[in-house]
Amino acid sequence: MAGGNAKKSNASGGVKKKEVKKETGLGLANRKDENFGEWYSEVVVNGEMIEYYDISGCYILRPWAMAIWEIMQKFFDAEIKKMDIQNCYFPLFVSPGVLQKEKDHVEGFAPEVAWVTKSGESELEVPIAIRPTSETVMYPYYSKWIRGHRDLPLKLNQWCNVVRWEFSHPTPFIRSREFLWQEGHTAFATKAEADAEVLDILELYRRIYEEYLAIPVIKGKKSEMEKFAGGLYTTSVEAFVPNTGRGIQGATSHCLGQNFAKMFEINFENEKGEKGMVWQNSWAYSTRTIGVMVMVHGDDRGLVLPPKVASVQVIVIPVPYKDADTQAIFDACSATVASLSEAGIRAKADSRDNYSPGWKYSHWEMKGVPLRIEIGPKDLANSQVRAVRRDNSAKTDIPRDKLVEQVKEMLDNIQQSLFDAAKQKRDACIQTVKTWDEFVEALGQRKMILAPWCDEEEVEIEVKARTKGEMGACKSLCSPFDQPELLEGTKCFASGKPAKKWTYWGRSY
Ligand code: 87F
């Protein structure tokens, strides 16, 4: 009986979907393939992740989203502590003098800096900036704290909010004026140590995307034009959103070299009493990760959460019928949640009596819970439960005595399937090209393009200029660490000069 009910609300075909919407009032008005932007806004709101706020570009992160952030935070925080990186907290406010200190780095970003100019009715004597990032906040104190080689390495991280007053189209998680992130700022005696850490951190970012969010990413190095201007070089993990054909920078790990050390006089004395400047890194990932997850995995029924980041991995729904023993069904649901919870699985029962089972199915589908367990009279009689996967709607009857074992296996399976499906879709959007004509054609097909490049800045400027249109210009995403063989005599796709490396190009967020 539970099965019959499930079929109805699992329907995803056009006509049947409308039925569900009428029946429950929960369906989405927009489809992912037809109206992606509207679909995205609708999903994050109806999935109860986001509430819009009365200041443009600012969003309320509801518990459903915050729980995902906390799960990733727990992983990353534990990993960086293994690397002897310590947490700290620096103030939100920046004095204008300090902010201007590193001119090159702030110049391009200046329009995005938000300022406090008043307290109550009186103008502040000196306006105060709100941190858009914390280099200039932290490094004066690095200068003070680092004296000799024994003070190194200095490895600090902070979990905080930052404000960047963006003017381009705001999007929840993806581009918001205030967002949450971690920012790591480290200082070393040698470049070799800094170089090694850049990659160690980048690997953690890869794991967040691939192991937690089930999103394939490409690790690589940014071009001179796309790197953080204040640094030496920038590495990143790059994801791709097939529906829009846009690349998206997932997280960055920079080697700052000695630029900031020079500016902020972060010097130390080595064992031999010689003076030196420190080598620095900075690295961050933000709540943007959650937006990429929604864009990649969500479907026409709502969010699809990978089990590793879902705060509720299994939702247990009682399916009582008129003449059934309702209490026994509710007891079986509680017992199921208890067994799963004891085994470390995040499970919850929806025992509300003011909603029908069908409404609950749609509700938890919208919120993307990876696995639904239904318990009806027939399941009770057969000592089984019925499990329904969110990602592919597959239904399985699980004997009570195999509950934990099989649910664990199914969750692992869902995690892997989501990654595999995302990778397959992403890979189908990657096009290798050799010539400008092939490049333009692939760009028109919303591809992420791998092309041989001469690695010259003027050529990248020209590519940007030549691809400018209403969809936005194309830029280099990264040169992957994993380089295909570059055959002798290969020419740059854009300039015809000898190619130096393979580089990914595309429109991006
Ligand atoms: C906006 C206003 C002012 C980005 C800004 O990526 C300054 C900036 O420096 C700014 N937007 N950036 C670059 C941030 C670089 C770096 N900071 C630490 C990171 C990782 C974490």
Side-chain angles (χ1 to χ4, degrees), residues 241-281:
V241 180
N243 286 76
T244 56
R246 285 178 194 272
I248 183 160
Q249 182 176 291
T252 50
S253 180
H254 314 278
C255 178
L256 303 178
Q258 296 180 307
N259 298 348
F260 285 91
K262 218 172 283 168
M263 218 79 60
F264 288 90
E265 301 177 66
I266 314 177
N267 307 313
F268 71 103
E269 207 166 88
N270 69 16
E271 296 95 326
K272 297 175 202 146
E274 301 158 346
K275 286 242 186 267
M277 268 187 300
V278 298
W279 292 87
Q280 289 177 276
N281 292 340

Side-chain angles (χ1 to χ4, degrees), residues 433-446:
V433 309
K434 295 274 182 61
T435 67
W436 180 258
D437 287 348
E438 289 171 358
F439 174 81
V440 170
E441 192 189 343
L443 195 63
Q445 296 164 344
R446 302 186 173 199

Side-chain angles (χ1 to χ4, degrees), residues 449-453 476-480 483 501-505:
I449 303 159
L450 184 59
W453 182 36
S476 72
L477 304 172
C478 74
S479 295
Q483 285 274 317
K501 49 167 79 150
W502 288 96
T503 300
Y504 282 102
W505 298 77

Side-chain angles (χ1 to χ4, degrees), residues 99 105-106 109-110 112-113 132-135 163-164 181-185 228 252 254 282-284:
L99 189 71
H105 133 241
V106 161
F109 298 121
E112 288 181 10
V113 177
T133 178
S134 301
E135 279 81 358
V163 171
R164 295 178 185 174
W181 74 353
Q182 60 65 220
E183 53 179 318
H185 295 266
F228 172 37
T252 50
H254 314 278
S282 77
W283 27 271

